[in-house]
């Protein structure tokens, strides 16, 4: 979606980041490696045109925790925060309706009763008031590992909890940045676009029907993979010590929306197939259930590889012949006493 309506921007934005979903904090750790832009540059005001940013994340907080840290969250929940805020959720949302006599996860305590404040209470209070709601990682976006079949917590993604029709106070659907963990520059790039939108200097970021930024997730792993030529030529690896296509070794890259082979992981380096690893589809809504067992060949790979094999063998043979020719110098390059160039001027 995109919005072109002229509107007044804001000068300050709080980022309220809760990682008390069912998570490992891996997404927070991941974004500390971002460089396009770095989280430090955004918070320090080094990116031209952005509002002043106040980041509230328990791992990256300058506070010692406790009520000092919780203060902005409590103020936002009651509508008393001094500036608009972006609500970032890390981790999947457990179903507190099936928690028995306890609770699955909490963030601070109720000031009146002293009881733990469960994640769903924070979501109910913060999401409708947030200028934008963003998920960091696949667990928050779609449920991820904690939502796999057989889990006792009833975990789900944020859109499962809030509903597909949810819109933030800024008129935006949930912005989902999946990944297990999230690719650091993907998250920071999308967040920066949202901040420019908050400043009134850009349209809303374009999203697909799952809330993923289209410029980051419209292509597949296969589209950017440096092993894709092996698939085209029917040249498949059968183990992980090969530069060939890894589809038969369990890679789901041809059907997975992810830009990691193009972007790399840190500083443009790394990324699953780039370093010999298979794609296990960690950015997809059906992860992990629809893609297990991870090391088995995907069900469609047997048919597709069989169909491509004769064509690929022919292509490899033709390219081999051309390569042999291309690796030879022209015959007129010699030290004999006569020029034997094959060039002949055309007569008019």
């Amino acid at each position: 979606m995109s919005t072109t309506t002229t509107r007044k921007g804001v000068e300050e934005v709080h980022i309220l980041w809760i990682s008390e979903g069912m998570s490992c904090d891996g997404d927070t750790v991941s974004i500390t490696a971002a460089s396009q832009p770095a989280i430090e540059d955004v918070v320090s005001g080094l990116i031209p045109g952005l509002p002043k940013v106040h980041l509230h994340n328990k791992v990256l907080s300058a506070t010692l925790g406790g009520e000092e840290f919780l203060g902005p969250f409590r103020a936002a929940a009651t509508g008393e925060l001094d500036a608009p805020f972006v609500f970032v959720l890390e981790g999947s949302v457990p179903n507190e309706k099936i928690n028995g006599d306890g609770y699955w996860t909490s963030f601070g305590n109720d000031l009146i009763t002293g009881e733990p404040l469960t994640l769903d209470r924070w979501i109910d209070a913060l999401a409708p008031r947030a200028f934008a709601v963003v998920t960091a990682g696949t667990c928050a976006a779609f449920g991820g590992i904690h939502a796999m079949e057989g889990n006792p917590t009833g975990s789900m993604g944020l859109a499962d909890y809030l509903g597909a029709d949810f819109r933030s106070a800024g008129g935006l659907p949930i912005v989902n940045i999946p990944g297990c963990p999230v690719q650091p520059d993907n998250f920071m790039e999308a967040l920066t676009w949202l901040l420019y939108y908050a400043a009134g200097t850009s349209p809303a970021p374009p999203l697909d029907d799952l809330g993923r930024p289209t410029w980051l997730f419209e292509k597949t792993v296969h589209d950017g993979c440096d092993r894709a030529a092996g698939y085209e030529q029917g040249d498949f690896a059968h183990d992980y010590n090969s530069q060939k296509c890894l589809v038969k070794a369990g890679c789901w890259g041809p059907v997975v929306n992810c830009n990691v082979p193009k972007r790399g992981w840190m500083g443009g380096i790394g990324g699953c197939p780039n370093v010999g690893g298979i794609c296990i589809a960690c950015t997809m809504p059906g992860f992990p259930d629809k893609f297990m067992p991870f090391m088995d060949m995907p069900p469609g790979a047997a048919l597709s590889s069989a169909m491509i094999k004769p064509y690929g063998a022919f292509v490899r043979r033709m390219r081999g012949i051309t390569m042999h020719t291309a690796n030879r110098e022209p015959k007129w390059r010699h030290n004999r006493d006569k020029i034997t160039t094959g060039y002949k001027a055309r007569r008019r």
Side-chain angles (χ1 to χ4, degrees):
M1 64 164 287
S2 64
T3 300
T4 56
T5 304
T6 302
R7 55 186 177 75
K8 184 178 180 181
V10 300
E11 296 182 355
E12 292 190 44
V13 172
H14 290 268
I15 298 176
L16 302 181
W17 186 311
I18 293 181
S19 56
E20 266 62 37
M22 309 299 283
S23 80
C24 62
D25 290 338
D27 302 297
T28 288
V29 174
S30 180
I31 64 106
T32 63
S35 59
Q36 296 180 330
I39 186 67
E40 301 93 326
D41 293 344
V42 171
V43 173
S44 300
L46 298 180
I47 309 297
L50 291 189
K52 183 178 181 179
V53 173
H54 307 277
L55 175 64
H56 308 279
N57 174 294
K58 68 179 184 184
V59 176
L60 305 176
S61 176
T63 73
L64 295 178
E67 283 304 313
E68 182 184 1
F69 176 69
L70 286 171
F73 294 88
R74 295 196 190 278
T78 57
E80 298 172 353
L81 196 63
D82 57 2
F85 67 94
V86 175
F87 173 39
V88 177
L89 178 66
E90 178 177 354
S92 52
V93 183
N95 185 351
E96 294 293 351
K97 295 179 181 178
I98 59 171
N99 62 22
D101 295 327
Y103 61 94
W104 297 121
T105 182
S106 67
F107 182 60
N109 290 357
D110 189 299
L111 292 176
I112 298 176
T113 67
E115 293 293 322
L117 285 169
T118 55
L119 178 63
D120 58 338
R121 289 180 62 182
W122 283 106
I123 294 173
D124 293 344
L126 295 178
R129 290 185 169 96
F131 175 80
V133 176
V134 183
T135 63
T138 299
C139 291
F142 307 125
I145 293 291
H146 311 92
M148 67 190 298
E149 184 178 6
N151 86 88
T153 65
S155 289
M156 66 197 88
L158 186 56
D160 299 317
Y161 180 82
L162 289 175
D165 296 330
F166 171 84
R167 294 296 180 270
S168 68
L172 296 169
I174 299 169
V175 179
N176 287 319
I177 320 292
C180 190
V182 68
Q183 202 281 348
D185 291 320
N186 278 354
F187 182 85
M188 287 306 303
E189 192 173 300
L191 179 63
T192 302
W193 190 322
L194 278 172
L195 292 173
Y196 276 121
Y197 178 57
T201 57
S202 80
L207 308 174
D208 66 15
D209 58 356
L210 292 173
R212 300 174 297 193
T214 53
W215 77 96
L216 298 175
F217 293 96
E218 64 183 346
K219 299 293 185 180
T220 67
V221 167
H222 188 74
D223 289 331
C225 183
D226 58 7
R227 299 167 183 265
Y231 185 95
E232 175 204 12
Q233 295 177 173
D235 202 7
F236 299 100
H238 295 279
D239 58 42
Y240 304 105
N241 300 310
S242 170
Q243 291 298 313
K244 299 177 181 180
C245 177
L246 292 165
V247 162
K248 286 194 173 184
C251 183
W252 284 84
V255 296
V256 172
N257 298 104
C258 180
N259 65 348
V260 163
K262 274 281 190 182
R263 182 154 228 173
W265 197 260
M266 292 175 59
I269 299 172
C272 313
N274 296 350
V275 295
I278 60 173
C279 172
I280 60 173
C282 76
T283 60
M284 302 297 280
F287 175 82
D289 300 77
K290 290 186 176 181
F291 306 99
M292 296 191 298
F294 289 138
M295 300 301 179
D296 287 2
M297 181 171 61
L303 176 61
S304 62
S305 60
M307 293 174 63
I308 200 76
K309 190 172 182 179
Y311 165 78
F314 175 76
V315 168
R316 287 202 311 275
R317 176 60 179 162
M318 293 299 101
R319 287 177 177 170
I321 294 171
T322 302
M323 186 185 299
H324 176 73
T325 301
N327 273 313
R328 300 179 64 185
E329 288 193 88
K331 59 184 179 182
W332 55 81
R333 295 180 185 173
H334 56 74
N335 64 353
R336 297 191 294 273
D337 57 3
K338 185 177 180 180
I339 295 177
T340 58
T341 176
Y343 174 74
K344 294 182 180 180
R346 291 185 298 170
R347 294 185 179 182
R348 293 184 178 180

